[in-house]
Amino acid sequence: MRLDRFIARQTEQSQQTARLLITTGRVQVDDQVVRDAQQAVDRFATVRLDDRLLQQHTPLHFMLHKPHGYLSATCDPLHPTVMELLAEPLRQQLHLAGRLDRSTTGLLILTNDGLWSRRLTEPGQRIPKVYLVGTAEPIAAHAAECFAQGIHLAREGVDTSPAQLQLLGPCQARLTIHEGRHHQVKRMFHAVGNRVTSLHRESMGIIELDPTLHPGQYRALTPREIACVPVAGSRLV
Ligand code: URA
């Protein structure tokens, strides 16, 4: 909705009065003075008129243990989606901060905070994402070196940034990547002549999948987990 209409409705004033309130700097959206009466405002914005709170956005952040077979999507005619695992009011409010393939299990983050989720998932932030990987063939000796140097992704025309591979067994490894490109882990293993048979995300930055969560369960993030997403200009370690 346009800001002038929103203010008019909330204050029961005319749109002309609302525009005057806006252009004279009395309206704040998300703690910033906004003088553009045409600016769009959605239900996720916190809006103030002087000191009066007209609408409050309560940020919500959750981690979900994604089970195998669920799509990272809001709805799908064929497959169950992760949204169906959430309580009804949350389904309408949350979006996914990064996706996992249908067959992938593990850590999935959901939030209603668009800025926060963008920062968590932007490749430029280089947030480490750790995966347990099972493969069809024994992992080649040169794979760790190839991943450390970067794998060329032809579709995007980019090289993956250096990734760390820790061998856990002939067909099992822990891989840390710093972007989240489409099917990235599967494509990296394909590039070294192998095939991923199981994939489980253990962590994103300092946010680790809570071991007490069974597949399909979720919990709110702690303030420390929320705060680990970098503010503009800084990096998450
Ligand atoms: N890489 C993949 O290939 N799939 C996922 O689900 C996540 C990362």
Side-chain angles (χ1 to χ4, degrees):
M1 182 188 295
R2 253 172 41 184
L3 186 57
D4 54 353
R5 292 202 185 124
F6 176 88
I7 297 292
R9 183 179 290 184
Q10 295 287 325
T11 59
E12 297 182 357
Q13 305 277 347
S14 67
Q15 272 188 43
Q16 195 181 8
T17 307
R19 278 195 285 278
L20 193 65
L21 292 169
I22 295 163
T23 52
T24 52
R26 293 177 57 190
V27 174
Q28 288 187 25
V29 179
D30 294 335
D31 297 326
Q32 306 280 330
V33 172
V34 172
R35 292 174 196 271
D36 177 5
Q38 312 255 339
Q39 178 169 315
V41 59
D42 61 23
R43 63 201 162 99
F44 303 122
T46 297
V47 184
R48 281 192 181 77
L49 170 63
D50 300 326
D51 290 334
R52 188 173 147 207
L53 193 58
L54 299 181
Q55 173 177 280
Q56 177 139 43
H57 169 53
T58 309
L60 300 169
H61 306 83
F62 289 89
M63 72 163 72
L64 168 77
H65 186 162
K66 181 191 171 296
H68 184 277
Y70 280 73
L71 273 185
S72 297
T74 37
C75 58
D76 188 81
L78 286 184
H79 302 290
T81 73
V82 292
M83 289 301 179
E84 294 167 26
L85 298 165
L86 304 175
E88 186 60 55
L90 290 177
R91 287 185 201 180
Q92 314 306 326
Q93 299 178 59
L94 300 183
H95 64 262
L96 297 162
R99 288 163 193 274
L100 291 174
D101 295 340
R102 189 159 68 90
S103 58
T104 304
T105 59
L107 177 68
L108 199 59
I109 306 281
L110 299 115
T111 180
N112 64 354
D113 188 337
L115 197 57
W116 187 90
S117 62
R118 265 204 300 287
R119 289 193 192 126
L120 181 70
T121 52
E122 254 168 21
Q125 296 288 353
R126 298 191 34 75
I127 289 176
K129 297 164 189 84
V130 181
Y131 292 89
L132 267 185
V133 189
T135 58
E137 309 294 333
I139 297 167
H142 68 285
E145 181 57 27
C146 291
F147 291 173
Q149 299 211 339
I151 296 287
H152 187 67
L153 299 177
R155 200 185 309 153
E156 293 88 343
V158 296
D159 292 343
T160 56
S161 44
Q164 292 75 47
L165 186 73
Q166 178 196 4
L167 279 183
L168 302 173
C171 294
Q172 215 193 15
R174 178 171 282 119
L175 178 68
T176 305
I177 60 174
H178 300 271
E179 315 105 309
R181 299 191 187 278
H182 194 50
H183 299 318
Q184 180 166 337
V185 175
K186 290 177 183 163
R187 291 161 76 193
M188 287 171 72
F189 275 88
H190 181 74
V192 292
N194 212 328
R195 184 168 60 82
V196 170
T197 53
S198 65
L199 191 56
H200 176 85
R201 183 153 67 195
E202 295 184 312
S203 63
M204 292 173 82
I206 68 141
I207 307 175
E208 292 178 3
L209 180 64
D210 188 327
T212 66
L213 291 178
H214 294 294
Q217 292 184 326
Y218 59 95
R219 71 152 168 85
L221 294 187
T222 63
R224 178 176 164 269
E225 288 167 336
I226 296 166
C228 77
V229 172
V231 290
S234 64
R235 298 256 158 105
L236 181 116
V237 282

